Amino acid sequence: LVPPKHVPHLRKGCPLLWSGLRNGDVITIVIHRLPEVAVTDKTFAALTWNAGVVCWAGSPATGSDSSAVCEQLRSGVRELCSGSSAFAALMDSSDVVAWGEGSSGGDCSTVKNQLHNVRRIFATQQAFAALKDSGEVVVWGKSSSGGDKATVAAQLAGDVQHVFSTRSAFAALKSTGSVVTWGEPIEGGDSSIVETELRGGVRNIYST
């Protein structure tokens, strides 16, 4: 709290009546947003108050070196997402910037022209999934960790409401209440055994 100039300070716990404030005085409330921090296995990335990104610790292979995209990360970052060795930043422009281990999602160049109008980003350990405003899902990174959606591409072309993940698989909840899964089969990427139950009526998904 910042009081008017004629009030030296506001003592914590004291009633305002004792503070010297007068009728009509204006008190300014200053709220500092805590910086958002994302982590890979060995690197931290902090979203600063001016919407830029600062990285430290680890090695280039775990996302500590953002020099290739540093100009894009100076400001305008809305949200950070991380896997085990790469980061992805959702920008205010709804585009995506990625860095870190290329094969684990740090390189999104193969789908860069699709990463527009992105609403949210989700991650497994070595892949990312971007949910667009249109309900389409775009993926990149290690194929066995969910970076390849070829077998379910048609089902992820629209109507997806949310995406969930385990260590190496994704699950998409659609507006119809149906569920689409892909990635490492034994970690949730293969839901064929319960396919009938997941065709509709699902409200939420939880993961280990």
Side-chain angles (χ1 to χ4, degrees), residues 40-90:
T40 59
D41 282 350
K42 298 179 180 180
T43 300
F44 292 96
L47 179 58
T48 63
W49 289 319
N50 65 346
V53 174
V54 177
C55 302
W56 70 96
S59 67
T62 58
S64 67
D65 183 5
S66 61
S67 57
V69 292
C70 65
E71 290 300 322
Q72 300 172 70
L73 298 177
R74 289 189 185 278
S75 63
V77 179
R78 186 193 312 169
E79 181 181 300
L80 292 174
C81 186
S82 61
S84 62
S85 53
F87 294 100
L90 178 58

mmCIF file of all heavy atoms in Angstrom, residues 40-90:
data_model
loop_
_atom_site.group_PDB
_atom_site.id
_atom_site.type_symbol
_atom_site.label_atom_id
_atom_site.label_comp_id
_atom_site.label_asym_id
_atom_site.label_seq_id
_atom_site.Cartn_x
_atom_site.Cartn_y
_atom_site.Cartn_z
ATOM 1 N N THR A 40 13.427 -27.719 -16.927
ATOM 2 C CA THR A 40 13.722 -28.989 -17.580
ATOM 3 C C THR A 40 14.474 -29.820 -16.545
ATOM 4 O O THR A 40 14.455 -29.508 -15.357
ATOM 5 C CB THR A 40 14.577 -28.781 -18.846
ATOM 6 O OG1 THR A 40 15.811 -28.135 -18.476
ATOM 7 C CG2 THR A 40 13.837 -27.922 -19.860
ATOM 8 N N ASP A 41 15.173 -30.867 -16.970
ATOM 9 C CA ASP A 41 15.904 -31.700 -16.007
ATOM 10 C C ASP A 41 16.980 -30.918 -15.259
ATOM 11 O O ASP A 41 17.232 -31.177 -14.084
ATOM 12 C CB ASP A 41 16.555 -32.885 -16.720
ATOM 13 C CG ASP A 41 15.546 -33.990 -17.018
ATOM 14 O OD1 ASP A 41 14.412 -33.909 -16.506
ATOM 15 O OD2 ASP A 41 15.897 -34.923 -17.761
ATOM 16 N N LYS A 42 17.633 -29.968 -15.953
ATOM 17 C CA LYS A 42 18.780 -29.290 -15.340
ATOM 18 C C LYS A 42 18.792 -27.781 -15.542
ATOM 19 O O LYS A 42 19.769 -27.125 -15.206
ATOM 20 C CB LYS A 42 20.082 -29.870 -15.894
ATOM 21 C CG LYS A 42 20.283 -31.351 -15.593
ATOM 22 C CD LYS A 42 21.586 -31.861 -16.189
ATOM 23 C CE LYS A 42 21.784 -33.341 -15.889
ATOM 24 N NZ LYS A 42 23.053 -33.855 -16.475
ATOM 25 N N THR A 43 17.724 -27.213 -16.100
ATOM 26 C CA THR A 43 17.725 -25.784 -16.423
ATOM 27 C C THR A 43 16.437 -25.114 -15.953
ATOM 28 O O THR A 43 15.355 -25.705 -16.014
ATOM 29 C CB THR A 43 17.886 -25.576 -17.942
ATOM 30 O OG1 THR A 43 19.122 -26.148 -18.365
ATOM 31 C CG2 THR A 43 17.887 -24.093 -18.300
ATOM 32 N N PHE A 44 16.594 -23.866 -15.488
ATOM 33 C CA PHE A 44 15.445 -23.034 -15.124
ATOM 34 C C PHE A 44 15.211 -21.982 -16.202
ATOM 35 O O PHE A 44 16.159 -21.480 -16.813
ATOM 36 C CB PHE A 44 15.704 -22.294 -13.807
ATOM 37 C CG PHE A 44 15.767 -23.181 -12.600
ATOM 38 C CD1 PHE A 44 16.985 -23.633 -12.115
ATOM 39 C CD2 PHE A 44 14.607 -23.552 -11.931
ATOM 40 C CE1 PHE A 44 17.059 -24.438 -10.993
ATOM 41 C CE2 PHE A 44 14.664 -24.355 -10.811
ATOM 42 C CZ PHE A 44 15.900 -24.802 -10.337
ATOM 43 N N ALA A 45 13.960 -21.624 -16.409
ATOM 44 C CA ALA A 45 13.600 -20.496 -17.262
ATOM 45 C C ALA A 45 12.534 -19.695 -16.532
ATOM 46 O O ALA A 45 11.512 -20.253 -16.110
ATOM 47 C CB ALA A 45 13.070 -20.961 -18.617
ATOM 48 N N ALA A 46 12.791 -18.410 -16.334
ATOM 49 C CA ALA A 46 11.853 -17.556 -15.599
ATOM 50 C C ALA A 46 11.214 -16.551 -16.541
ATOM 51 O O ALA A 46 11.892 -15.935 -17.372
ATOM 52 C CB ALA A 46 12.578 -16.826 -14.472
ATOM 53 N N LEU A 47 9.916 -16.390 -16.393
ATOM 54 C CA LEU A 47 9.177 -15.362 -17.124
ATOM 55 C C LEU A 47 9.186 -14.112 -16.260
ATOM 56 O O LEU A 47 8.632 -14.105 -15.163
ATOM 57 C CB LEU A 47 7.748 -15.834 -17.396
ATOM 58 C CG LEU A 47 6.813 -14.875 -18.138
ATOM 59 C CD1 LEU A 47 7.393 -14.486 -19.488
ATOM 60 C CD2 LEU A 47 5.444 -15.507 -18.321
ATOM 61 N N THR A 48 9.844 -13.070 -16.707
ATOM 62 C CA THR A 48 10.044 -11.876 -15.894
ATOM 63 C C THR A 48 8.822 -10.961 -15.944
ATOM 64 O O THR A 48 7.894 -11.158 -16.724
ATOM 65 C CB THR A 48 11.278 -11.100 -16.381
ATOM 66 O OG1 THR A 48 11.054 -10.640 -17.727
ATOM 67 C CG2 THR A 48 12.515 -11.988 -16.376
ATOM 68 N N TRP A 49 8.863 -9.901 -15.108
ATOM 69 C CA TRP A 49 7.730 -8.974 -15.020
ATOM 70 C C TRP A 49 7.497 -8.222 -16.308
ATOM 71 O O TRP A 49 6.392 -7.761 -16.569
ATOM 72 C CB TRP A 49 7.967 -7.989 -13.868
ATOM 73 C CG TRP A 49 7.852 -8.646 -12.530
ATOM 74 C CD1 TRP A 49 6.930 -9.578 -12.145
ATOM 75 C CD2 TRP A 49 8.681 -8.442 -11.396
ATOM 76 N NE1 TRP A 49 7.131 -9.971 -10.852
ATOM 77 C CE2 TRP A 49 8.206 -9.277 -10.347
ATOM 78 C CE3 TRP A 49 9.790 -7.627 -11.137
ATOM 79 C CZ2 TRP A 49 8.791 -9.324 -9.100
ATOM 80 C CZ3 TRP A 49 10.360 -7.672 -9.870
ATOM 81 C CH2 TRP A 49 9.870 -8.520 -8.883
ATOM 82 N N ASN A 50 8.541 -8.066 -17.128
ATOM 83 C CA ASN A 50 8.348 -7.370 -18.405
ATOM 84 C C ASN A 50 8.065 -8.356 -19.532
ATOM 85 O O ASN A 50 8.218 -8.034 -20.706
ATOM 86 C CB ASN A 50 9.559 -6.498 -18.738
ATOM 87 C CG ASN A 50 10.817 -7.314 -18.971
ATOM 88 O OD1 ASN A 50 10.851 -8.502 -18.635
ATOM 89 N ND2 ASN A 50 11.831 -6.710 -19.539
ATOM 90 N N ALA A 51 7.655 -9.596 -19.154
ATOM 91 C CA ALA A 51 7.259 -10.642 -20.106
ATOM 92 C C ALA A 51 8.411 -11.109 -20.975
ATOM 93 O O ALA A 51 8.209 -11.510 -22.120
ATOM 94 C CB ALA A 51 6.093 -10.173 -20.975
ATOM 95 N N GLY A 52 9.629 -11.067 -20.434
ATOM 96 C CA GLY A 52 10.784 -11.649 -21.104
ATOM 97 C C GLY A 52 11.154 -12.956 -20.438
ATOM 98 O O GLY A 52 10.534 -13.373 -19.450
ATOM 99 N N VAL A 53 12.185 -13.635 -20.953
ATOM 100 C CA VAL A 53 12.605 -14.924 -20.407
ATOM 101 C C VAL A 53 14.087 -14.898 -20.056
ATOM 102 O O VAL A 53 14.905 -14.398 -20.841
ATOM 103 C CB VAL A 53 12.335 -16.073 -21.410
ATOM 104 C CG1 VAL A 53 12.906 -17.395 -20.900
ATOM 105 C CG2 VAL A 53 10.842 -16.218 -21.668
ATOM 106 N N VAL A 54 14.424 -15.438 -18.886
ATOM 107 C CA VAL A 54 15.810 -15.579 -18.444
ATOM 108 C C VAL A 54 16.054 -17.045 -18.133
ATOM 109 O O VAL A 54 15.266 -17.662 -17.406
ATOM 110 C CB VAL A 54 16.090 -14.721 -17.187
ATOM 111 C CG1 VAL A 54 17.527 -14.941 -16.718
ATOM 112 C CG2 VAL A 54 15.852 -13.257 -17.478
ATOM 113 N N CYS A 55 17.154 -17.619 -18.668
ATOM 114 C CA CYS A 55 17.499 -19.026 -18.437
ATOM 115 C C CYS A 55 18.816 -19.131 -17.683
ATOM 116 O O CYS A 55 19.711 -18.314 -17.873
ATOM 117 C CB CYS A 55 17.627 -19.778 -19.759
ATOM 118 S SG CYS A 55 16.156 -19.750 -20.793
ATOM 119 N N TRP A 56 18.929 -20.184 -16.851
ATOM 120 C CA TRP A 56 20.214 -20.416 -16.184
ATOM 121 C C TRP A 56 20.334 -21.881 -15.762
ATOM 122 O O TRP A 56 19.371 -22.608 -15.685
ATOM 123 C CB TRP A 56 20.369 -19.499 -14.978
ATOM 124 C CG TRP A 56 19.493 -19.788 -13.803
ATOM 125 C CD1 TRP A 56 19.822 -20.516 -12.690
ATOM 126 C CD2 TRP A 56 18.139 -19.369 -13.616
ATOM 127 N NE1 TRP A 56 18.756 -20.566 -11.827
ATOM 128 C CE2 TRP A 56 17.723 -19.862 -12.351
ATOM 129 C CE3 TRP A 56 17.234 -18.604 -14.376
ATOM 130 C CZ2 TRP A 56 16.435 -19.645 -11.857
ATOM 131 C CZ3 TRP A 56 15.969 -18.383 -13.885
ATOM 132 C CH2 TRP A 56 15.578 -18.897 -12.638
ATOM 133 N N ALA A 57 21.610 -22.270 -15.512
ATOM 134 C CA ALA A 57 21.999 -23.617 -15.084
ATOM 135 C C ALA A 57 21.887 -24.610 -16.242
ATOM 136 O O ALA A 57 21.420 -24.282 -17.333
ATOM 137 C CB ALA A 57 21.179 -24.084 -13.887
ATOM 138 N N GLY A 58 22.355 -25.826 -15.993
ATOM 139 C CA GLY A 58 22.271 -26.879 -16.993
ATOM 140 C C GLY A 58 23.202 -26.668 -18.163
ATOM 141 O O GLY A 58 24.288 -26.111 -18.041
ATOM 142 N N SER A 59 22.771 -27.107 -19.333
ATOM 143 C CA SER A 59 23.576 -27.041 -20.558
ATOM 144 C C SER A 59 22.673 -26.720 -21.736
ATOM 145 O O SER A 59 21.446 -26.775 -21.616
ATOM 146 C CB SER A 59 24.271 -28.390 -20.791
ATOM 147 O OG SER A 59 23.299 -29.391 -21.091
ATOM 148 N N PRO A 60 23.273 -26.390 -22.894
ATOM 149 C CA PRO A 60 22.433 -26.131 -24.078
ATOM 150 C C PRO A 60 21.479 -27.281 -24.394
ATOM 151 O O PRO A 60 20.383 -27.062 -24.908
ATOM 152 C CB PRO A 60 23.468 -25.930 -25.186
ATOM 153 C CG PRO A 60 24.666 -25.388 -24.467
ATOM 154 C CD PRO A 60 24.697 -26.118 -23.153
ATOM 155 N N ALA A 61 21.909 -28.505 -24.055
ATOM 156 C CA ALA A 61 21.078 -29.675 -24.346
ATOM 157 C C ALA A 61 19.854 -29.760 -23.445
ATOM 158 O O ALA A 61 18.949 -30.556 -23.693
ATOM 159 C CB ALA A 61 21.902 -30.951 -24.206
ATOM 160 N N THR A 62 19.823 -28.946 -22.377
ATOM 161 C CA THR A 62 18.645 -28.946 -21.504
ATOM 162 C C THR A 62 17.942 -27.594 -21.491
ATOM 163 O O THR A 62 17.117 -27.322 -20.624
ATOM 164 C CB THR A 62 19.023 -29.328 -20.056
ATOM 165 O OG1 THR A 62 20.004 -28.417 -19.563
ATOM 166 C CG2 THR A 62 19.550 -30.749 -19.989
ATOM 167 N N GLY A 63 18.296 -26.718 -22.463
ATOM 168 C CA GLY A 63 17.566 -25.470 -22.627
ATOM 169 C C GLY A 63 18.203 -24.227 -22.057
ATOM 170 O O GLY A 63 17.574 -23.168 -22.052
ATOM 171 N N SER A 64 19.442 -24.329 -21.567
ATOM 172 C CA SER A 64 20.063 -23.148 -20.958
ATOM 173 C C SER A 64 20.491 -22.106 -21.988
ATOM 174 O O SER A 64 20.650 -20.936 -21.665
ATOM 175 C CB SER A 64 21.277 -23.553 -20.117
ATOM 176 O OG SER A 64 22.315 -24.052 -20.949
ATOM 177 N N ASP A 65 20.685 -22.532 -23.231
ATOM 178 C CA ASP A 65 21.128 -21.624 -24.286
ATOM 179 C C ASP A 65 19.944 -21.242 -25.180
ATOM 180 O O ASP A 65 19.503 -22.014 -26.012
ATOM 181 C CB ASP A 65 22.224 -22.292 -25.126
ATOM 182 C CG ASP A 65 22.779 -21.360 -26.195
ATOM 183 O OD1 ASP A 65 22.390 -20.171 -26.223
ATOM 184 O OD2 ASP A 65 23.608 -21.814 -27.010
ATOM 185 N N SER A 66 19.458 -20.034 -24.976
ATOM 186 C CA SER A 66 18.337 -19.542 -25.792
ATOM 187 C C SER A 66 18.800 -18.479 -26.779
ATOM 188 O O SER A 66 17.981 -17.703 -27.278
ATOM 189 C CB SER A 66 17.241 -18.969 -24.885
ATOM 190 O OG SER A 66 17.744 -17.880 -24.122
ATOM 191 N N SER A 67 20.105 -18.447 -27.055
ATOM 192 C CA SER A 67 20.668 -17.383 -27.890
ATOM 193 C C SER A 67 20.055 -17.342 -29.286
ATOM 194 O O SER A 67 19.911 -16.271 -29.873
ATOM 195 C CB SER A 67 22.193 -17.539 -27.992
ATOM 196 O OG SER A 67 22.539 -18.816 -28.511
ATOM 197 N N ALA A 68 19.676 -18.505 -29.814
ATOM 198 C CA ALA A 68 19.116 -18.542 -31.164
ATOM 199 C C ALA A 68 17.756 -17.852 -31.242
ATOM 200 O O ALA A 68 17.334 -17.432 -32.319
ATOM 201 C CB ALA A 68 18.993 -19.989 -31.644
ATOM 202 N N VAL A 69 17.087 -17.735 -30.096
ATOM 203 C CA VAL A 69 15.753 -17.117 -30.090
ATOM 204 C C VAL A 69 15.669 -15.969 -29.083
ATOM 205 O O VAL A 69 14.572 -15.529 -28.742
ATOM 206 C CB VAL A 69 14.666 -18.169 -29.769
ATOM 207 C CG1 VAL A 69 14.536 -19.175 -30.894
ATOM 208 C CG2 VAL A 69 14.963 -18.865 -28.443
ATOM 209 N N CYS A 70 16.833 -15.487 -28.613
ATOM 210 C CA CYS A 70 16.832 -14.502 -27.524
ATOM 211 C C CYS A 70 16.083 -13.222 -27.883
ATOM 212 O O CYS A 70 15.430 -12.619 -27.033
ATOM 213 C CB CYS A 70 18.257 -14.189 -27.078
ATOM 214 S SG CYS A 70 19.279 -13.391 -28.326
ATOM 215 N N GLU A 71 16.177 -12.793 -29.129
ATOM 216 C CA GLU A 71 15.479 -11.570 -29.527
ATOM 217 C C GLU A 71 13.972 -11.725 -29.407
ATOM 218 O O GLU A 71 13.257 -10.794 -29.030
ATOM 219 C CB GLU A 71 15.859 -11.184 -30.956
ATOM 220 C CG GLU A 71 17.290 -10.693 -31.117
ATOM 221 C CD GLU A 71 17.574 -9.460 -30.279
ATOM 222 O OE1 GLU A 71 16.679 -8.585 -30.166
ATOM 223 O OE2 GLU A 71 18.675 -9.371 -29.710
ATOM 224 N N GLN A 72 13.486 -12.916 -29.718
ATOM 225 C CA GLN A 72 12.051 -13.172 -29.632
ATOM 226 C C GLN A 72 11.573 -13.290 -28.186
ATOM 227 O O GLN A 72 10.383 -13.121 -27.901
ATOM 228 C CB GLN A 72 11.704 -14.463 -30.378
ATOM 229 C CG GLN A 72 12.064 -14.434 -31.855
ATOM 230 C CD GLN A 72 11.876 -15.802 -32.495
ATOM 231 O OE1 GLN A 72 10.752 -16.249 -32.667
ATOM 232 N NE2 GLN A 72 12.969 -16.472 -32.834
ATOM 233 N N LEU A 73 12.515 -13.577 -27.273
ATOM 234 C CA LEU A 73 12.153 -13.808 -25.876
ATOM 235 C C LEU A 73 12.373 -12.590 -24.987
ATOM 236 O O LEU A 73 12.249 -12.670 -23.776
ATOM 237 C CB LEU A 73 12.946 -14.993 -25.318
ATOM 238 C CG LEU A 73 12.700 -16.345 -25.987
ATOM 239 C CD1 LEU A 73 13.623 -17.405 -25.379
ATOM 240 C CD2 LEU A 73 11.243 -16.773 -25.850
ATOM 241 N N ARG A 74 12.715 -11.442 -25.572
ATOM 242 C CA ARG A 74 12.958 -10.244 -24.762
ATOM 243 C C ARG A 74 11.679 -9.695 -24.143
ATOM 244 O O ARG A 74 11.694 -9.096 -23.067
ATOM 245 C CB ARG A 74 13.643 -9.161 -25.609
ATOM 246 C CG ARG A 74 15.081 -9.483 -25.966
ATOM 247 C CD ARG A 74 15.773 -8.297 -26.594
ATOM 248 N NE ARG A 74 17.100 -8.645 -27.042
ATOM 249 C CZ ARG A 74 18.180 -8.695 -26.266
ATOM 250 N NH1 ARG A 74 18.055 -8.419 -24.974
ATOM 251 N NH2 ARG A 74 19.360 -9.021 -26.749
ATOM 252 N N SER A 75 10.561 -9.908 -24.820
ATOM 253 C CA SER A 75 9.280 -9.432 -24.311
ATOM 254 C C SER A 75 8.156 -10.137 -25.059
ATOM 255 O O SER A 75 8.394 -10.837 -26.044
ATOM 256 C CB SER A 75 9.153 -7.913 -24.489
ATOM 257 O OG SER A 75 9.179 -7.575 -25.867
ATOM 258 N N GLY A 76 6.943 -9.949 -24.566
ATOM 259 C CA GLY A 76 5.787 -10.504 -25.259
ATOM 260 C C GLY A 76 5.533 -11.972 -25.018
ATOM 261 O O GLY A 76 4.759 -12.598 -25.741
ATOM 262 N N VAL A 77 6.159 -12.549 -23.967
ATOM 263 C CA VAL A 77 5.937 -13.959 -23.654
ATOM 264 C C VAL A 77 4.765 -14.079 -22.678
ATOM 265 O O VAL A 77 4.741 -13.430 -21.641
ATOM 266 C CB VAL A 77 7.200 -14.602 -23.041
ATOM 267 C CG1 VAL A 77 6.937 -16.070 -22.699
ATOM 268 C CG2 VAL A 77 8.375 -14.483 -24.003
ATOM 269 N N ARG A 78 3.809 -14.900 -23.013
ATOM 270 C CA ARG A 78 2.611 -15.070 -22.177
ATOM 271 C C ARG A 78 2.744 -16.232 -21.206
ATOM 272 O O ARG A 78 2.282 -16.168 -20.068
ATOM 273 C CB ARG A 78 1.392 -15.293 -23.070
ATOM 274 C CG ARG A 78 0.067 -15.343 -22.315
ATOM 275 C CD ARG A 78 -1.068 -15.879 -23.183
ATOM 276 N NE ARG A 78 -1.115 -15.253 -24.492
ATOM 277 C CZ ARG A 78 -1.866 -15.687 -25.506
ATOM 278 N NH1 ARG A 78 -2.628 -16.765 -25.353
ATOM 279 N NH2 ARG A 78 -1.848 -15.068 -26.668
ATOM 280 N N GLU A 79 3.382 -17.317 -21.657
ATOM 281 C CA GLU A 79 3.381 -18.539 -20.852
ATOM 282 C C GLU A 79 4.566 -19.407 -21.243
ATOM 283 O O GLU A 79 4.985 -19.413 -22.407
ATOM 284 C CB GLU A 79 2.063 -19.282 -21.108
ATOM 285 C CG GLU A 79 1.848 -20.557 -20.353
ATOM 286 C CD GLU A 79 0.514 -21.188 -20.718
ATOM 287 O OE1 GLU A 79 -0.536 -20.534 -20.514
ATOM 288 O OE2 GLU A 79 0.508 -22.327 -21.224
ATOM 289 N N LEU A 80 5.123 -20.143 -20.286
ATOM 290 C CA LEU A 80 6.224 -21.069 -20.544
ATOM 291 C C LEU A 80 5.768 -22.496 -20.315
ATOM 292 O O LEU A 80 4.950 -22.770 -19.430
ATOM 293 C CB LEU A 80 7.403 -20.773 -19.618
ATOM 294 C CG LEU A 80 8.162 -19.467 -19.836
ATOM 295 C CD1 LEU A 80 9.193 -19.282 -18.732
ATOM 296 C CD2 LEU A 80 8.832 -19.443 -21.201
ATOM 297 N N CYS A 81 6.331 -23.405 -21.105
ATOM 298 C CA CYS A 81 6.048 -24.828 -20.951
ATOM 299 C C CYS A 81 7.374 -25.562 -21.119
ATOM 300 O O CYS A 81 8.220 -25.143 -21.916
ATOM 301 C CB CYS A 81 5.032 -25.285 -21.996
ATOM 302 S SG CYS A 81 4.469 -26.992 -21.800
ATOM 303 N N SER A 82 7.566 -26.655 -20.405
ATOM 304 C CA SER A 82 8.851 -27.354 -20.488
ATOM 305 C C SER A 82 8.695 -28.859 -20.489
ATOM 306 O O SER A 82 7.770 -29.408 -19.884
ATOM 307 C CB SER A 82 9.760 -26.942 -19.325
ATOM 308 O OG SER A 82 9.169 -27.286 -18.082
ATOM 309 N N GLY A 83 9.632 -29.514 -21.190
ATOM 310 C CA GLY A 83 9.769 -30.956 -21.133
ATOM 311 C C GLY A 83 11.009 -31.264 -20.319
ATOM 312 O O GLY A 83 11.418 -30.474 -19.474
ATOM 313 N N SER A 84 11.674 -32.387 -20.586
ATOM 314 C CA SER A 84 12.866 -32.739 -19.819
ATOM 315 C C SER A 84 14.111 -32.033 -20.321
ATOM 316 O O SER A 84 15.081 -31.872 -19.578
ATOM 317 C CB SER A 84 13.092 -34.255 -19.863
ATOM 318 O OG SER A 84 13.317 -34.676 -21.209
ATOM 319 N N SER A 85 14.110 -31.574 -21.578
ATOM 320 C CA SER A 85 15.314 -30.938 -22.116
ATOM 321 C C SER A 85 15.022 -29.831 -23.116
ATOM 322 O O SER A 85 15.882 -29.443 -23.887
ATOM 323 C CB SER A 85 16.223 -31.991 -22.763
ATOM 324 O OG SER A 85 15.512 -32.755 -23.715
ATOM 325 N N ALA A 86 13.803 -29.305 -23.115
ATOM 326 C CA ALA A 86 13.447 -28.218 -24.030
ATOM 327 C C ALA A 86 12.324 -27.379 -23.441
ATOM 328 O O ALA A 86 11.553 -27.850 -22.604
ATOM 329 C CB ALA A 86 13.024 -28.775 -25.393
ATOM 330 N N PHE A 87 12.274 -26.126 -23.900
ATOM 331 C CA PHE A 87 11.221 -25.198 -23.491
ATOM 332 C C PHE A 87 10.416 -24.761 -24.705
ATOM 333 O O PHE A 87 10.911 -24.751 -25.834
ATOM 334 C CB PHE A 87 11.822 -23.934 -22.852
ATOM 335 C CG PHE A 87 12.523 -24.147 -21.551
ATOM 336 C CD1 PHE A 87 13.912 -24.237 -21.499
ATOM 337 C CD2 PHE A 87 11.803 -24.231 -20.366
ATOM 338 C CE1 PHE A 87 14.565 -24.410 -20.288
ATOM 339 C CE2 PHE A 87 12.449 -24.408 -19.157
ATOM 340 C CZ PHE A 87 13.837 -24.495 -19.115
ATOM 341 N N ALA A 88 9.181 -24.347 -24.453
ATOM 342 C CA ALA A 88 8.356 -23.717 -25.485
ATOM 343 C C ALA A 88 7.665 -22.526 -24.840
ATOM 344 O O ALA A 88 7.141 -22.624 -23.717
ATOM 345 C CB ALA A 88 7.324 -24.688 -26.041
ATOM 346 N N ALA A 89 7.694 -21.397 -25.524
ATOM 347 C CA ALA A 89 7.067 -20.181 -25.008
ATOM 348 C C ALA A 89 5.873 -19.820 -25.876
ATOM 349 O O ALA A 89 5.983 -19.778 -27.112
ATOM 350 C CB ALA A 89 8.074 -19.037 -25.000
ATOM 351 N N LEU A 90 4.740 -19.561 -25.237
ATOM 352 C CA LEU A 90 3.563 -19.061 -25.941
ATOM 353 C C LEU A 90 3.611 -17.543 -25.876
ATOM 354 O O LEU A 90 3.657 -16.962 -24.791
ATOM 355 C CB LEU A 90 2.283 -19.582 -25.291
ATOM 356 C CG LEU A 90 0.964 -19.095 -25.893
ATOM 357 C CD1 LEU A 90 0.862 -19.457 -27.357
ATOM 358 C CD2 LEU A 90 -0.218 -19.674 -25.111
#
